[in-house]
């Protein structure tokens, strides 16, 4: 099983749609969780951290289920500017203070007018 | 603040040549990492550092060396470039390992 698996996509949705991304991780020692977005030919940028209690940032809601090792991202009222690749990222401790980010392969979202 | 600065942005090397990809951050972050991104493979960790003088290998370290003599700088050295090292390389830094990382804008490397 891959360390971090995401929906393969791509997703094509109309403006205003709600879209959900799912992600599973295999290492139960994972410590922290993130969603990044990456625009074409650009660097990944942190979208939001993901907490067990769930967290929301405007139109974006992230959920974490540690028991199921499952992470989700919900985008409401999608905008053209949301078009990007969304990366699920898990921080796995290597012991002590060593942390390593492990990335999913990403899901491409295209929001159409 | 400039954040994470990578140089060069583009580079073409011949097989067997060596070079150093530069990475510098001005945020006083302890944690720094190098990733490569290939189509269909996602980002893979090459080497990382948890502080000056401390480095460790990631998932794909072969053919690369790193050192961390200062908090600010974390150069990545290609010892003898191979076509398989054609990729986009990203440097990233974080205040602590469990915080989100800030990425540089990347270096697009082609080995011919």
């Amino acid at each position: 099983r891959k360390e971090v698996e995401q929906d393969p996509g791509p997703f094509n949705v109309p403006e205003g749609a709600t879209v959900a991304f799912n992600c599973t991780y295999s290492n139960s020692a994972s410590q922290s969780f993130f969603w990044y977005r990456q625009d074409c030919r650009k660097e990944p940028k942190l979208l939001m951290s993901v907490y067990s209690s769930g967290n929301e940032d405007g139109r974006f809601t992230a959920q974490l289920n540690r028991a199921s090792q499952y992470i989700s991202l919900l985008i409401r009222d999608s905008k053209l500017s949301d078009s990007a690749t969304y990366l699920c990222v898990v921080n796995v401790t290597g012991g002590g203070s060593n942390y390593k980010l492990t990335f999913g392969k990403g899901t491409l979202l295209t929001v159409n007018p | 603040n400039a954040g994470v600065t990578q140089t060069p942005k583009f580079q073409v090397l011949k097989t067997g040549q060596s070079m150093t990809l530069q990475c510098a951050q001005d945020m006083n972050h302890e944690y720094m990492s190098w990733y490569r991104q290939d189509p269909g493979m996602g980002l893979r960790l090459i080497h990382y550092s948890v502080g000056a003088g401390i480095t460790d290998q990631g998932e794909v370290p072969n053919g690369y060396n790193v050192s961390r003599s200062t908090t600010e700088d974390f150069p990545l050295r290609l010892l003898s470039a191979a076509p398989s090292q054609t990729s986009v390389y990203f440097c990233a830094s974080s205040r602590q390992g469990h915080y989100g990382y800030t990425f540089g804008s990347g270096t697009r490397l082609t080995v011919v």
Side-chain angles (χ1 to χ4, degrees), chain A residues 29 31-32 91-101, chain B residues 29-33 45 48-56 68 94-99 101:
Chain A
Q31 298 289 316
S32 48
N91 215 346
V92 180
T93 180
S97 61
N98 296 330
Y99 290 85
K100 304 177 188 179
L101 289 184
Chain B
H29 285 175
E30 290 295 324
Y31 288 72
M32 296 186 75
S33 304
L45 181 64
Y48 66 101
S49 169
V50 299
I54 306 169
T55 64
D56 205 349
R68 185 97 179 269
S94 177
R95 180 156 50 103
Q96 291 185 20
H98 55 276
Y99 284 84
Y101 277 68

Side-chain angles (χ1 to χ4, degrees), chain A residues 2 5 8 20 39 43-44 55 76 90 92:
Chain A
K2 294 177 183 168
E5 289 199 72
D39 295 293
E43 72 273 22
N55 47 300
R76 293 181 299 278
V90 173
V92 180

Side-chain angles (χ1 to χ4, degrees), chain B residues 38-100:
Chain B
D38 302 292
M41 300 294 292
L43 282 107
R44 292 181 291 169
L45 181 64
I46 305 171
H47 285 285
Y48 66 101
S49 169
V50 299
I54 306 169
T55 64
D56 205 349
Q57 296 181 349
E59 182 184 354
V60 287
N62 292 340
Y64 308 95
N65 273 356
V66 292
S67 60
R68 185 97 179 269
S69 56
T70 66
T71 299
E72 294 77 21
D73 299 298
F74 191 43
L76 178 73
R77 281 181 287 278
L78 278 70
L79 309 173
S80 177
S84 60
Q85 293 179 304
T86 294
S87 188
V88 181
Y89 291 84
F90 289 105
C91 178
S93 73
S94 177
R95 180 156 50 103
Q96 291 185 20
H98 55 276
Y99 284 84

Side-chain angles (χ1 to χ4, degrees), chain A residues 27-79:
Chain A
N27 192 331
S28 59
S30 301
Q31 298 289 316
S32 48
F33 310 89
F34 309 93
W35 284 101
Y36 279 72
R37 69 169 279 167
Q38 186 174 25
D39 295 293
C40 187
R41 299 180 70 83
K42 298 287 189 181
E43 72 273 22
K45 291 186 178 178
L46 179 64
L47 180 64
M48 58 197 303
S49 300
V50 188
Y51 305 112
S52 297
S53 56
N55 47 300
E56 188 173 308
D57 183 3
R59 298 181 291 109
F60 298 83
T61 301
Q63 297 276 355
L64 167 65
N65 184 321
R66 285 187 182 269
S68 303
Q69 296 181 198
Y70 170 86
I71 307 162
S72 66
L73 176 69
L74 186 75
I75 305 176
R76 293 181 299 278
D77 188 25
S78 53
K79 312 291 185 190

